[in-house]
């Protein structure tokens, strides 16, 4: 049994699964905090109902996000112990700081927020949700600090075969963080706003709680528009950074086999990854140079040249990440992103001009558009991580040197099957609950309307 | 004191905090199906730990992260060597954590009982497997010259570790029942107190058996000094004093004593371990210790500064949550959150 392959598969499955819930946690906590702030400022009951309704959906999502996060921390030691030995001196610190600064804050104050509605003053209660927002943001930052070291190692030297910290400030201000952090945060807001638009549209189509859901869709489409553009801009910066940090990732996601200057951007490229024969190749001349250099000339190195360089530099081996995965992931991500800019723009326009009567058909698209941010988040993550192949720490440590030696194929197979089964059951339950509460609307989450529709109110939901 | 020793102490403190705090909510989770005779009672039991369990669990995550940062070789050898038990702990913590949030969100009795069993199983798995891991740290496991664990899964399930698991589970159930006896009212309170009363003697007996066994089967007797003697003595004193408060029906103080007992049990393990962090049963020279498992001075110094600033803040706000939710949880279904 191939331990390395199984360990990679397990890491990919568990982290993609975890990252299904993280962006919504990041974005929705902020939306809920905004609603509660308006409630505290104006005292309007509508905003309390909004807070509770979106808060309930946030909590279902948070629960599964947080428990699957523990797996990630343990997994470094369990399956990737040689990696952990090699980088523990540098990589462990952000993780430990994340727990100390972020997880404690998030978990403790979320507990108070859930249970504290009648125990503490309104202002204090509001403060707890903002602390949750701060906690999840800090958490995202530290995990990206850790990840940035893997993408672009800085602030270290190698001593006795392992990386040793020399400059923590360099690690914290590592180049990729300045684009990755805004990218991930705005992706969280995009996810939350599309989620909110989708659920709101569902109710607006049915003329259910129109006041509440028009407020929701107004906030969501406005935030969505700003955030999708921010995602695009920070993504663009990331693309330019690759030229410096990971040219192979850049060449692979463009399926650019030969070095070009000016470099062309692929509209569609189809080829055979084994024989490297290109069957179909439509490209726009100079556009890739423009994206990378902000001018229509500039060299972008191709896969074949880079491969030769790496073989010379690091010895024989496979240095090409699977181009078809990167190529299509990139296009799915960017495609979903562009579509989302358009959708949030139209949704905002319809809401502000009150064009629901004329453009009702468009609103019916929104519940399906909830899939878009998830496609973009997942493919974006695949792009970043698969594009690192064959390195665990870029240009320093390879995957085969990172995997645990104490591990047998049987052990990791058991855990892989276990994770797949348990995660499968959990996502079924999560989707079921999300759908149930999203469709029921605020009746299940607020106290007052219980009187007019008792059949919908579970006894558990009265506060 | 060297930074390495300081970090050994920090990690001991984090695990101690974890076992005191999550210890009682593991106990509560294990008791759930037995003490809660109907749905409202089960919800009441879950609500006693509702605001706290998630924050309690972070102590484990922080301990794991601190081990990674301060002693990467310890983290790597331990987590890869004890792979399957830790995998099961993870599965336990996952289904348990989700269950708290999910169980009351649907009325269907099958749905609720499914999640109740998840809470029970998850709590039990963690409460059984973590002491198996810790007792093996002290007892010694096959670690080779390259710091690699070379034993299999069943190597970990030796009689000493199983006895440790039993002792800790019983202690945590006792600890959880003491917590429930000060957090519930009426029928539940009486039942929780009944568990505390009937378990006390068993807890004392099993801890005595465990200590005696530890002396016979491990190298503990060769390593006696001040702290490794003081901690178990204080732990024994705490559990005996809890018996005194039990007779006087002062359950708040009983709970205080169970907290201390749990704390001293964990501290005892770390005191006997020091300065080693994982004992090799193959060759004492191959044991991992606070020097050969540690990060660089730069990292340890950095982490020390961060911890000295933020750990007190965490203690303050976590303490505050216990103050906010200090009242007993009433069995009034309308007032239950989960």
């Amino acid at each position: 049994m191939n331990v390395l392959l199984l360990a990679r598969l397990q890491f990919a499955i568990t982290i993609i699964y975890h990252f299904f819930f993280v962006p919504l946690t990041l974005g929705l906590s902020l939306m809920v905090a905004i609603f509660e702030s308006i409630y505290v400022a104006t005292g309007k009951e509508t905003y309390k109902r909004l807070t509770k309704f979106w808060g309930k959906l946030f909590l279902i999502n948070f629960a599964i996000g947080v428990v699957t996060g523990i797996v990630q921390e343990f997994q470094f030691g369990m399956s990737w112990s040689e990696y952990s030995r090699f980088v523990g001196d540098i990589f462990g610190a952000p993780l430990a700081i994340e727990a100390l600064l972020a997880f404690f804050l998030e978990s403790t104050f979320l507990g108070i927020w859930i249970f504290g509605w009648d125990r503490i003053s309104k202002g204090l209660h509001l403060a707890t949700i903002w602390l949750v927002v701060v906690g999840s943001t800090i958490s995202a930052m530290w995990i990206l600090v850790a990840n940035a070291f893997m993408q672009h190692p800085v602030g270290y030297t190698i001593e006795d075969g392992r990386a040793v910290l020399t400059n923590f400030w360099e690690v914290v201000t590592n180049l990729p963080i300045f684009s990755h952090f805004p990218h991930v945060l705005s992706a969280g807001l995009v996810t939350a706003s599309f989620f909110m638009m989708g659920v709101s549209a569902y109710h607006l189509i049915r003329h259910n709680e129109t006041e509440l859901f028009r407020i929701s869709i107004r906030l969501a489409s406005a935030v969505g528009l700003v955030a999708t553009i921010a995602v695009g801009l920070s993504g663009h910066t990331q693309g330019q950074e690759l030229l410096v940090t990971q040219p192979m990732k850049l060449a692979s996601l463009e399926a650019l086999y030969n070095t070009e200057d000016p470099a062309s951007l692929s509209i569609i490229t189809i080829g055979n990854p084994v024989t490297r024969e290109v069957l179909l190749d439509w490209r726009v001349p100079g556009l890739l140079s423009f994206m990378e250099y902000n001018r229509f000339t500039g060299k972008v190195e191709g896969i074949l040249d880079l491969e030769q360089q790496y073989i010379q530099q690091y010895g024989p081996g496979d240095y090409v990440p699977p181009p078809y995965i990167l190529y299509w992931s990139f296009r799915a991500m960017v495609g979903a992103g562009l579509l989302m800019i358009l959708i949030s723009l139209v949704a905002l326009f319809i809401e502000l001009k009150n064009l629901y009567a004329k453009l009702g058909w468009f609103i019916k698209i929104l519940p399906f558009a909830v899939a878009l941010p998830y496609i973009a988040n997942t493919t974006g993550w695949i792009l970043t991580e698969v594009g690192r192949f064959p390195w665990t720490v870029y240009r320093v440590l390879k995957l085969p040197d990172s995997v645990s030696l104490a591990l047998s194929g049987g052990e990791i197979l058991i855990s892989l099957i276990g994770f797949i089964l348990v995660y499968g059951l959990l996502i079924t339950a999560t989707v079921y609950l999300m759908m149930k509460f999203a469709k029921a609307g605020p009746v299940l989450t607020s106290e007052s309307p219980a009187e007019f529709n008792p059949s919908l109110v579970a006894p558990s939901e009265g506060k | 004191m060297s930074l390495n020793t300081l970090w050994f102490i920090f990690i001991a403190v984090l695990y101690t905090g974890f076992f005191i705090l999550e210890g009682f909510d593991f106990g509560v989770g294990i008791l759930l199906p037995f003490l809660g005779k109907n749905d409202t009672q089960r919800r009441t039991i879950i609500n006693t730990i509702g605001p706290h369990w998630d924050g309690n669990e972070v102590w484990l995550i922080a301990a794991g992260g601190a081990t990674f940062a301060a002693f990467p070789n310890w983290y790597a050898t331990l987590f890869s060597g004890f792979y399957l038990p830790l995998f099961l702990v993870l599965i336990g913590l996952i289904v348990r954590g989700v269950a708290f949030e999910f169980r009351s969100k649907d009325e269907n009795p099958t749905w609720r009982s499914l999640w109740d069993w998840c809470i029970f199983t998850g709590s039990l798995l963690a409460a059984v497997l973590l002491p198996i891991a810790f007792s093996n740290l002290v007892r010694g496991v096959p670690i080779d010259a390259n710091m690699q664990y070379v034993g299999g899964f069943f190597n970990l399930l030796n009689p000493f570790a199983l006895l440790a698991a039993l002792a800790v589970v019983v202690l945590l159930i006792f600890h959880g029942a003491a917590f429930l006896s000060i957090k519930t009212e009426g029928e539940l309170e009486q039942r929780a107190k009944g568990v505390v009363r009937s378990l006390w003697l068993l807890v004392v007996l099993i801890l005595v058996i465990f200590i005696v066994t530890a002396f016979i089967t491990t190298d503990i007797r060769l390593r006696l000094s001040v702290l490794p003697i003081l901690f178990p003595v204080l732990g024994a004193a705490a559990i005996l004093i809890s018996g005194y408060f039990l007779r006087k029906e002062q359950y708040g103080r009983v709970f205080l004593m169970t907290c201390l007992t749990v704390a001293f049990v964990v501290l005892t393990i770390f005191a006997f371990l020091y300065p080693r962090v994982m004992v090799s049963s193959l060759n004492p020279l191959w044991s991992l210790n606070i020097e050969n498992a540690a990060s660089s001075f730069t990292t340890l110094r950095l982490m020390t500064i961060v911890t000295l600033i933020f750990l007190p803040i965490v203690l303050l706000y976590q303490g505050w949550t216990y103050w906010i939710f200090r009242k007993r949880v009433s069995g009034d279904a309308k007032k239950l959150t989960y």
Side-chain angles (χ1 to χ4, degrees), chain A residues 130-150:
Chain A
W130 278 107
L131 286 168
V132 172
V133 176
V134 170
S136 35
T137 310
I138 296 177
S139 161
M141 196 200 88
W142 285 105
I143 206 71
L144 289 171
V145 166
N147 186 262
F149 181 80
M150 301 170 80

Side-chain angles (χ1 to χ4, degrees), chain A residues 95-344:
Chain A
L95 286 197
I97 295 174
E98 183 190 16
L100 199 58
L101 265 65
F103 292 158
F104 272 122
L105 202 67
E106 225 178 338
S107 306
T108 311
F109 286 100
L110 192 66
I112 306 178
W113 190 75
I114 301 172
F115 285 81
W117 279 97
D118 303 319
R119 303 279 168 88
I120 50 177
S121 72
K122 270 190 193 176
L124 215 50
H125 191 265
L126 176 64
T128 62
I129 189 73
W130 278 107
L131 286 168
V132 172
V133 176
V134 170
S136 35
T137 310
I138 296 177
S139 161
M141 196 200 88
W142 285 105
I143 206 71
L144 289 171
V145 166
N147 186 262
F149 181 80
M150 301 170 80
Q151 307 286 349
H152 185 235
V154 291
Y156 73 103
T157 54
I158 306 282
E159 268 174 36
D160 301 329
R162 63 178 207 174
V164 177
L165 181 68
T166 52
N167 189 336
F168 189 65
W169 184 244
E170 263 184 63
V171 173
V172 176
T173 56
N174 196 353
L175 181 68
I177 296 162
F178 295 96
S179 56
H180 289 201
F181 185 50
H183 197 64
V184 167
L185 278 193
S186 37
L189 284 172
V190 170
T191 311
S193 47
F194 271 73
F195 179 79
M196 200 176 253
M197 276 196 266
V199 175
S200 305
Y202 174 88
H203 289 282
L204 289 176
I205 294 163
R206 285 162 181 74
H207 303 288
N208 179 29
E209 301 266 11
T210 315
E211 187 205 353
L212 231 66
F213 288 111
R214 283 197 60 182
I215 296 173
S216 301
I217 210 166
R218 184 172 295 198
L219 176 72
S221 52
V223 170
L225 184 60
V226 176
T228 40
I229 294 170
V231 167
L233 292 176
S234 52
H236 175 66
T237 321
Q238 253 170 300
Q240 297 200 332
E241 230 171 63
L242 288 183
L243 202 62
V244 185
T245 56
Q246 299 183 1
M248 184 61 104
K249 189 187 274 178
L250 178 66
S252 301
L253 68 83
E254 273 303 320
L256 187 75
Y257 278 91
N258 299 303
T259 304
E260 289 183 3
D261 183 6
S264 59
L265 187 87
S266 161
I267 297 300
I268 185 163
T269 302
I270 297 174
N272 184 334
V274 182
T275 61
R276 294 179 172 178
E277 183 188 5
V278 178
L279 303 171
L280 173 71
D281 202 15
W282 291 344
R283 314 187 76 99
V284 181
L287 193 54
L288 182 57
S289 292
F290 180 72
M291 308 268 286
E292 292 299 320
Y293 293 97
N294 302 325
R295 55 183 156 84
F296 283 98
T297 53
K299 189 168 90 166
V300 180
E301 287 175 295
I303 294 172
L304 299 174
D305 290 322
L306 288 166
E307 190 181 27
Q308 287 314 312
Q309 282 177 32
Y310 290 171
I311 287 172
Q312 275 189 357
Q313 234 175 320
Y314 306 109
D318 182 6
Y319 295 95
V320 187
Y324 53 99
I325 294 186
L326 297 200
Y327 182 86
W328 292 111
S329 294
F330 180 65
R331 270 142 192 85
M333 179 184 78
V334 173
L338 293 174
L339 202 54
M340 285 192 283
I341 295 181
L342 187 71
I343 290 175
S344 39

